[in-house]
Amino acid sequence: MAWRCHGNTHRELIDNLQRAGLLRTPRVIEAMKKIDRGHFTVEGPTSAMSYRDSPQPIGYNATISAPHMHCEMIELLEGHLKDGAVALDVGSGSGYLTAVMADLCSPTGRTYGVEHIPELVEMSQANAEKSCPRLLASGCLKFVVADGQMGLPDAECRSLKQEGKEMPLFDAIHVGAAAAAIPDSLLHQLKPGGVMVIPVGPKGGDQTLMKLTKDAAGRVHRENITSVIFVPLTSKEAQLADDNSTKVNLLSLMLSSLRGQGE
Ligand code: SAH
């Protein structure tokens, strides 16, 4: 399915994703149109490479996920990304999906991107400055350097609580890297009624995209959505170790994307 969605421009890519049924909700389509993927890739908006439906390396053994995977994630979360909602993007990488989430929660909501590689946070900040400076200036979008397995760091949580909001904080959580097991800290930070989407499984294969919904009583309901391959949610040291298994993992991820499976 994935190869059908390539475009030469951002508009063409969005039209093809819509035609393929991967983008369905009008307000999601509008948000994705506003946030040009070309501002978040290494190649930039003048290269057709930016609009291919595949993951692309962004350095530091990370990738910007494929457009069809961004669509799958955002459509799963859409009902919880409303004006005023508070959202978290763990492993925000290029910052693309964080910006789309922030647009959907604006003008009064907030979206945090948490990423453990400081250089990627700088890059995502610069990408968003080019693409959607209004979201940054208004405080609707913020990138934070931290280990996302622990959720949003305390200092940021405190600033939210000072505005009168109590823990747990998030209406929607997106995790953009595969967790070996669902991190408790993320479940704790999910509000009753909130939804988290997270790839779960071992590095390099047999991962399942899961949708977790917390009900009003705090019980968590799990749904398996599809098989996926994502880079691992791991420590900074493990990610940066320039070993062959990381390279093989990135290669298999790009190949599986051609089959419509990878991130
Ligand atoms: N949704 C992002 C995906 C980036 S790839 C995009 O489309 O651009 C996954 C990201 O997760 C990488 O940037 C990687 O650095 C980050 N990551 C992996 N483990 C992490 C952790 N423990 N804490 C924070 N970020 C992590």
Side-chain angles (χ1 to χ4, degrees):
M1 86 167 149
W3 49 269
R4 290 194 198 123
C5 298
H6 297 316
N8 287 312
T9 61
H10 185 64
R11 187 54 194 255
E12 226 174 83
L13 172 65
I14 300 298
D15 287 348
N16 289 341
L17 290 163
Q18 205 178 334
R19 211 167 291 131
L22 297 167
L23 269 181
R24 298 175 293 277
T25 310
R27 55 189 294 271
V28 172
I29 296 167
E30 281 318 302
M32 294 261 312
K33 276 183 187 163
K34 275 191 248 170
I35 313 291
D36 188 327
R37 181 178 172 87
H39 287 128
F40 294 81
T41 62
V42 173
E43 287 79 12
T46 55
S47 167
M49 269 303 288
S50 296
Y51 306 108
R52 293 189 70 75
D53 191 13
S54 65
Q56 281 144 19
I58 53 173
Y60 309 92
N61 293 327
T63 57
I64 175 170
S65 298
H68 70 271
M69 191 49 72
H70 280 157
C71 293
E72 171 110 46
M73 295 291 199
I74 209 81
E75 287 282 359
L76 284 167
L77 290 173
E78 181 274 326
H80 301 264
L81 299 170
K82 296 272 162 73
D83 182 17
V86 183
L88 178 68
D89 184 16
V90 175
S92 46
S94 67
Y96 182 80
L97 209 62
T98 332
V100 175
M101 290 167 77
D103 185 82
L104 288 166
C105 297
S106 70
T108 60
R110 282 199 178 192
T111 301
Y112 292 88
V114 173
E115 165 61 55
H116 65 167
I117 309 287
E119 291 87 346
L120 287 179
V121 168
E122 254 175 57
M123 192 189 293
S124 60
Q125 180 84 21
N127 294 340
E129 289 286 0
K130 282 180 260 165
S131 172
C132 49
R134 177 186 51 85
L135 291 175
L136 286 173
S138 61
C140 290
L141 171 60
K142 184 165 184 185
F143 295 101
V144 178
V145 181
D147 179 357
Q149 296 174 100
M150 308 306 291
L152 190 70
D154 282 351
E156 295 292 341
C157 292
R158 273 197 296 276
S159 82
L160 270 176
K161 278 197 279 184
Q162 275 161 17
E163 290 167 14
K165 307 204 181 195
E166 292 300 321
M167 291 279 277
L169 300 169
F170 296 109
D171 299 284
I173 299 179
H174 166 256
V175 184
I182 298 161
D184 281 344
S185 308
L186 293 180
L187 279 178
H188 284 141
Q189 290 192 347
L190 191 64
K191 275 184 193 165
V195 164
M196 167 158 71
V197 287
I198 178 168
V200 181
K203 179 178 172 180
D206 216 12
Q207 301 166 359
T208 303
L209 177 61
M210 296 183 76
K211 178 179 177 183
L212 308 177
T213 309
K214 199 184 256 190
D215 67 19
R219 280 185 303 260
V220 177
H221 304 268
R222 298 162 186 236
E223 196 184 330
N224 291 352
I225 303 296
T226 184
S227 295
V228 287
I229 301 182
F230 275 73
V231 299
L233 186 71
T234 185
S235 70
K236 196 171 140 183
E237 294 70 30
Q239 184 173 324
L240 294 179
D242 188 26
D243 60 9
N244 283 334
S245 72
T246 304
K247 289 190 184 114
V248 169
N249 191 34
L250 276 180
L251 190 64
S252 77
L253 199 155
M254 291 167 93
L255 288 174
S256 63
S257 159
L258 291 174
R259 298 194 300 268
Q261 217 191 5
E263 61 159 289

